[in-house]
């Protein structure tokens, strides 16, 4: 059957996969013992009818010619499993929460940042079967980032997507093997540390908002976010402009390859941060800006007042402009 499936795949034909076929494909595949025990502990699923599903959940598409397919199909299922489990938990845990804040909670829990964080903290990343030579260094950098307390926690990070993919694939594996209830238990067990933290906050979504959202709430149109390459930042801002990277300041580099995220207000630079990716540079710059502003309530109130004035003036200017057009 396996050989026939491979031929069918090359021809664009998908052969049916019933319970007997599932047993044929997955029943004989033995997952890594430590990976299997870790999944059992993290999901509450003590017995797997098809243990090969666990091996599949850790198999990256780059790992070709393996005994099982890549995790992509399981990830697709796991995404839906995570979604319904998270929304039901929010609905039952916070019966008086407005729907807008329910959406914020849901978006935070299922985000790439949170799932990547749980993947690292639970140790699932140690069992990923891949052939991506860049992945170890990217995971190492991400681990360093979330270990650094500067900034707004996980929102100031950019985890490799493979981390969240594996978490969702594990949920998918449990659901396929054990059914709906088993999948829901898996989500609530593996995500329990995050769910407990949110429950302790009594559903307060303030700290769960993305720093870009918070920055817009504080200053609206007063803040701009600029993302450039290291060499472009040097040309635009000169050597006197400092960049925060890691745990210290540095100048721009003409031969630099990092991305630089800059938060500006009314043309003035508030903070510039260098990171390997554009997303992490942007998020971390916004996270640091929000952290500073949150420590100075008076600054936040002033910014909000000025932002409101600018908004009103912009509205009045627009109305006057429209009025002059009408007179013409």
């Amino acid at each position: 059957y396996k050989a026939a499936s491979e031929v069918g795949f090359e021809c664009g034909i998908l052969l049916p996969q019933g319970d007997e076929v599932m047993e044929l494909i997955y029943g004989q595949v033995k997952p890594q013992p430590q990976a299997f025990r870790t999944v059992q502990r993290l999901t509450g699923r003590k017995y797997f009818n098809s243990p090969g599903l666990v091996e599949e959940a850790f198999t990256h598409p780059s790992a070709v010619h393996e005994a099982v397919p890549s995790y992509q199909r399981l990830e697709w299922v796991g995404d839906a499993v995570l979604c319904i489990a998270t929304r039901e938990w929010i609905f039952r845990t916070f019966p008086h929460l407005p729907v807008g804040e329910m959406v914020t909670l849901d978006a935070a829990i299922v985000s790439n940042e949170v799932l990547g964080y749980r993947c690292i903290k639970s140790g699932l990343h140690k069992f990923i079967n891949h052939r991506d030579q860049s992945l170890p260094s990217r995971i190492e950098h991400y681990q360093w980032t979330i270990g650094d307390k500067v900034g707004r926690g996980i929102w100031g990070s950019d985890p490799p997507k493979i981390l969240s993919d594996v978490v969702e694939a594990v949920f998918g594996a449990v659901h396929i093997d054990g059914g709906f209830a088993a999948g829901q238990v898996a989500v609530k067990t593996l995500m329990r540390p995050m769910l407990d933290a949110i429950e302790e906050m009594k559903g307060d979504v303030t700290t769960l908002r993305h720093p870009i959202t918070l920055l817009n709430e504080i200053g609206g149109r007063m803040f701009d976010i600029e993302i450039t390459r290291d060499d472009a930042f040097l040309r635009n801002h000169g050597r006197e402009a400092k960049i925060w990277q890691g745990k210290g300041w540095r100048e721009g580099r003409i031969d630099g390859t990092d991305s630089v995220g800059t938060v500006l207000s009314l043309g003035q630079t508030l903070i510039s941060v260098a990171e390997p990716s554009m997303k992490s540079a942007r998020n971390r710059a916004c996270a640091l800006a929000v952290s500073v502003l949150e420590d100075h309530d008076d600054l936040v109130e002033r910014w909000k007042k000025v932002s409101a004035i600018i908004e009103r003036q912009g509205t009045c200017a627009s109305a006057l402009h429209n009025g002059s057009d009408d007179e013409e």
Side-chain angles (χ1 to χ4, degrees), residues 55-316:
E55 186 68 17
E56 179 177 341
F58 290 107
T59 304
H60 187 257
S62 65
V64 295
H65 305 306
E66 295 296 318
V68 294
S70 77
Y71 59 58
Q72 290 174 313
R73 284 162 52 88
L74 290 178
E75 177 209 345
W76 179 70
V77 173
D79 178 72
V81 175
L82 172 64
C83 180
I84 188 63
T86 299
R87 293 187 181 189
E88 182 183 356
W89 178 82
I90 294 172
F91 185 89
R92 295 185 182 279
T93 306
F94 306 107
H96 304 297
L97 202 65
V99 68
E101 295 187 8
M102 294 170 73
V103 170
T104 300
L105 278 182
D106 176 50
I109 295 171
V110 305
S111 67
N112 188 48
E113 288 87 352
V114 167
L115 294 180
Y117 181 85
R118 282 301 297 143
C119 185
I120 293 294
K121 292 302 181 181
S122 63
L124 290 175
H125 66 290
K126 300 175 183 177
F127 311 113
I128 299 174
N129 179 13
H130 68 93
R131 305 294 184 273
D132 184 347
Q133 295 182 356
S134 70
L135 185 60
S137 61
R138 288 191 288 134
I139 290 179
E140 182 180 1
H141 176 78
Y142 172 65
Q143 287 179 289
W144 176 85
T145 301
I146 60 177
D148 183 3
K149 300 304 181 184
V150 179
R152 197 175 178 80
I154 59 174
W155 294 132
S157 65
D158 183 20
K161 190 175 181 298
I162 187 175
L163 300 178
S164 59
D165 289 348
V166 165
V167 173
E168 291 181 334
V170 167
F171 295 151
V174 174
H175 175 90
I176 293 297
D177 191 79
F180 180 82
Q184 300 301 289
V185 170
V187 172
K188 292 170 185 174
T189 304
L190 199 155
M191 301 298 291
R192 178 52 55 190
M194 306 302 297
L195 301 182
D196 286 345
I198 293 172
E199 195 164 0
E200 287 178 9
M201 294 186 291
K202 301 185 185 303
D204 181 9
V205 301
T206 304
T207 56
L208 295 175
R209 286 195 176 98
H210 198 283
I212 294 178
T213 302
L214 286 172
L215 205 57
N216 287 331
E217 290 178 356
I218 292 171
R221 294 192 298 176
M222 285 187 62
F223 293 110
D224 291 312
I225 304 169
E226 175 187 279
I227 306 174
T228 61
R229 301 292 292 181
D230 213 330
D231 54 343
F233 177 87
L234 179 61
R235 290 194 298 270
N236 296 341
H237 298 274
R239 291 195 176 278
E240 65 277 5
K242 301 300 181 182
I243 302 172
W244 180 266
Q245 185 168 34
K247 297 182 179 180
W249 297 97
R250 69 167 176 82
E251 297 178 347
R253 297 168 180 164
I254 192 63
D255 58 347
T257 58
D258 287 324
S259 295
V260 180
T262 302
V263 177
L264 305 101
S265 179
L266 303 178
Q268 298 298 311
T269 299
L270 299 183
I271 183 72
S272 296
V273 178
E275 289 286 334
S277 75
M278 295 176 65
K279 181 179 178 182
S280 58
R282 178 200 65 188
N283 289 355
R284 206 151 173 76
C286 292
L288 284 170
V290 169
S291 294
V292 171
L293 291 172
E294 285 181 337
D295 288 340
H296 299 83
D297 293 338
D298 56 328
L299 284 178
V300 174
E301 290 306 314
R302 290 178 186 176
W303 245 296
K304 286 183 176 180
K305 289 178 181 178
V306 174
S307 178
I309 293 172
I310 292 175
E311 191 73 30
R312 285 198 301 270
Q313 288 180 340
T315 302
C316 291

